[in-house]
Structures are given as structure tokens and as C-alpha cells.
Amino acid sequence: MTKVVLSMALAVFTLLPANAQIVKNDLLKGYKEGDVLEKTVYNDKRAPINVDTWCGGFTSKPVEGSVSPTIGKALTYEGYSEAGPSITLGFPQGVKGSRVSVYSLVESGKVYSKGTYYIACLVNFSKVGTNLADFLAASASYVGGGNRGQVYVRREGNDKIKFAVGLLKERAEAPMAYDCNKTHLLVLKVDYTKNEVSLFVDPELGQSEPKADIVVTGEEGALKAGLKSVALRNRNGFKGNIGNFRFAKDWAGAIGK
């Protein structure tokens, strides 16, 4: 009996390190299709934090007519463990500009300012513009702004899209084009040790981290500030869905292995 208990304890202990690297997942827990995403709006950049909550990001010039995104259909990707509803992208007819929604993680950035961090999600775009436009970021402010890793998308031809990643002023585009109206897995990596951000598009979902599709190294001190939120930028010209987020400290945690 003692041997059985000991074996079970050892098995649980072996699983703990991988599980401990998942910081946040199920960011749309409790939402159903048609629900409004943002629970409130940060009307002041010093407003108290709403931890682990989707809120409208602070801006001094709100876009007239813009509203919170709503919850849409579920997205799935073979081998990726995060499932559930997504966020519908796009603005009402006639509204121009963009709106940021943030999932506030922590008030003090010191918690997420050393080592590496990963933000994984699923996206499915049916319409984007011809110029690179950011839609996802790791933010150094819990009310939005001060991005320390941005993911961009643009249209390529009639039915393809291309992704890019940026760190402050530095930005680079991944070489391959991908299908519209298809669900893609994106993983944004923010590496404080190397002062760089990377983007993986539809990576192989093995235990080992593959080579990134694109890497951008920042200027000295670019990653000095810690991460405080996951930021989503919705805008006119977009149609599609994004969801199934995971925020982790290692590759296995990001993809759910």
C-alpha cells in the first residue's frame, strides 16, 4: 500500500513543473456567444485595476461609435488544448478607427519582467486591410498601452494573409502567407533575457519549442518594463474571430502539453 501511495505521489510531482508554467488560461470563462466582452472601461490611466477581467483600455480620444467586441463562435485547432468561444472582430458600419480591450493581469509589472513569456491564441480572419495592422500585444500597462510585443496582420492578394511581430520601433514580417477563413495558431514569445520578441504561426505542437517564424530584437532597454495585460485591438476593416488564449512561462504551457 505504501509503495502505491509513493508511486502516485511521485507521478503527481512529475506533472507539477509543467503545469506550474501556465500562468493564465480560459480567459473567456463564463462567456457565451452574444455576450459583451468588456466588463467595464478604464476611463483614467490611473484607475484601479480589475484583475483577470476584460476591460475597455484607456484612451484620451475614444473613437465615436466604437463599442466592446462581443463573443462569437468557438475556434478549434488540432492538437491545441485550449477550446471554447472566441471574440468577434469588426466595427459597426461607418465607424472608423480602433478600440483596445485589455485582460488585466497584475498591477505591478515586476511579476512578469524576467525570463520568457508566451501568449498563444487562435485567429480566423475573413477580412483585413492591405497595410499591416496590430491586433494583439503584451502590454506594459494594465489599462492598455506601452506594448512590449505586437502581432500584426495584412492581406496578401485576394485570399491570403501575412503576419508580423514588433517590439517598440522594430518590426518584421514573417515570410509565409496563410489562408483567409482558416483558423491559425499564433504564439507570441517575449524574451526578457535576449531582449527580443518572436512569433510562431501554426507551429508543430511537440514538447520541444520549434524555430520561430520571425524574431525581432529590440533596442537596449526595450523590455525593461514588465507585462501587465494582454491587449486586443479591434478596428474597422477587420472581420474574423480571436480566442482560446493561454499566457505561460514555457512552450509546453503555451500550447497545453
Side-chain angles (χ1 to χ4, degrees):
M1 180 69 176
T2 308
K3 288 182 178 180
V4 173
V5 172
L6 181 58
S7 299
M8 290 174 65
L10 286 172
V12 172
F13 178 78
T14 341
L15 294 173
L16 283 177
N19 291 340
Q21 301 308 304
I22 303 169
V23 181
K24 303 283 181 185
N25 71 316
D26 203 5
L27 270 58
L28 294 176
K29 184 178 181 180
Y31 285 95
K32 63 183 185 302
E33 192 166 345
D35 285 350
V36 173
L37 174 68
E38 298 170 5
K39 299 297 186 182
T40 186
V41 175
Y42 289 118
N43 291 314
D44 190 295
K45 60 183 177 182
R46 292 174 295 276
I49 188 173
N50 294 287
V51 182
D52 300 338
T53 305
W54 284 101
C55 302
F58 169 74
T59 175
S60 57
K61 296 180 180 178
V63 172
E64 186 177 350
S66 72
V67 293
S68 167
T70 56
I71 304 304
K73 64 183 181 181
L75 297 177
T76 58
Y77 187 92
E78 186 176 356
Y80 182 60
S81 65
E82 198 75 14
S86 65
I87 299 164
T88 302
L89 298 173
F91 267 10
Q93 185 71 27
V95 178
K96 304 292 184 182
S98 67
R99 179 188 181 97
V100 173
S101 303
V102 291
Y103 186 86
S104 305
L105 297 167
V106 65
E107 187 169 8
S108 170
K110 294 179 181 178
V111 177
Y112 307 124
S113 59
K114 292 181 180 179
T116 55
Y117 303 94
Y118 299 78
I119 298 175
C121 69
L122 298 181
V123 298
N124 188 315
F125 286 106
S126 59
K127 180 183 178 183
V128 295
T130 53
N131 296 321
L132 283 174
D134 62 303
F135 63 93
L136 178 69
S139 176
S141 168
Y142 65 83
V143 301
N147 295 329
R148 293 300 187 270
Q150 291 167 279
V151 183
Y152 303 80
V153 65
R154 70 170 178 86
R155 190 176 81 238
E156 175 85 346
N158 293 325
D159 56 357
K160 299 287 184 180
I161 53 177
K162 297 198 77 174
F163 295 101
V165 69
L167 176 54
L168 295 181
K169 296 178 182 179
E170 304 299 322
R171 186 170 69 183
E173 191 175 82
M176 286 188 62
Y178 298 86
D179 291 335
C180 285
N181 295 299
K182 182 178 179 180
T183 299
H184 301 286
L185 170 61
L186 303 180
V187 183
L188 170 67
K189 178 181 179 181
V190 182
D191 190 327
Y192 276 82
T193 304
K194 295 182 178 179
N195 195 44
E196 65 183 27
V197 296
S198 310
L199 182 66
F200 304 79
V201 184
D202 294 342
E204 292 186 10
L205 298 182
Q207 295 289 347
S208 301
E209 180 177 318
K211 182 180 178 182
D213 290 273
I214 192 69
V215 180
V216 170
T217 302
E219 299 175 354
E220 185 177 352
L223 284 178
K224 185 177 181 180
L227 306 182
K228 299 180 185 177
S229 68
V230 176
L232 167 67
R233 186 181 293 276
N234 192 18
R235 61 176 74 237
N236 69 291
F238 272 5
K239 284 186 180 179
N241 294 78
I242 183 170
N244 312 103
F245 299 95
R246 295 177 73 88
F247 180 54
K249 291 186 177 181
D250 65 5
W251 180 256
I255 64 173
K257 293 293 183 182

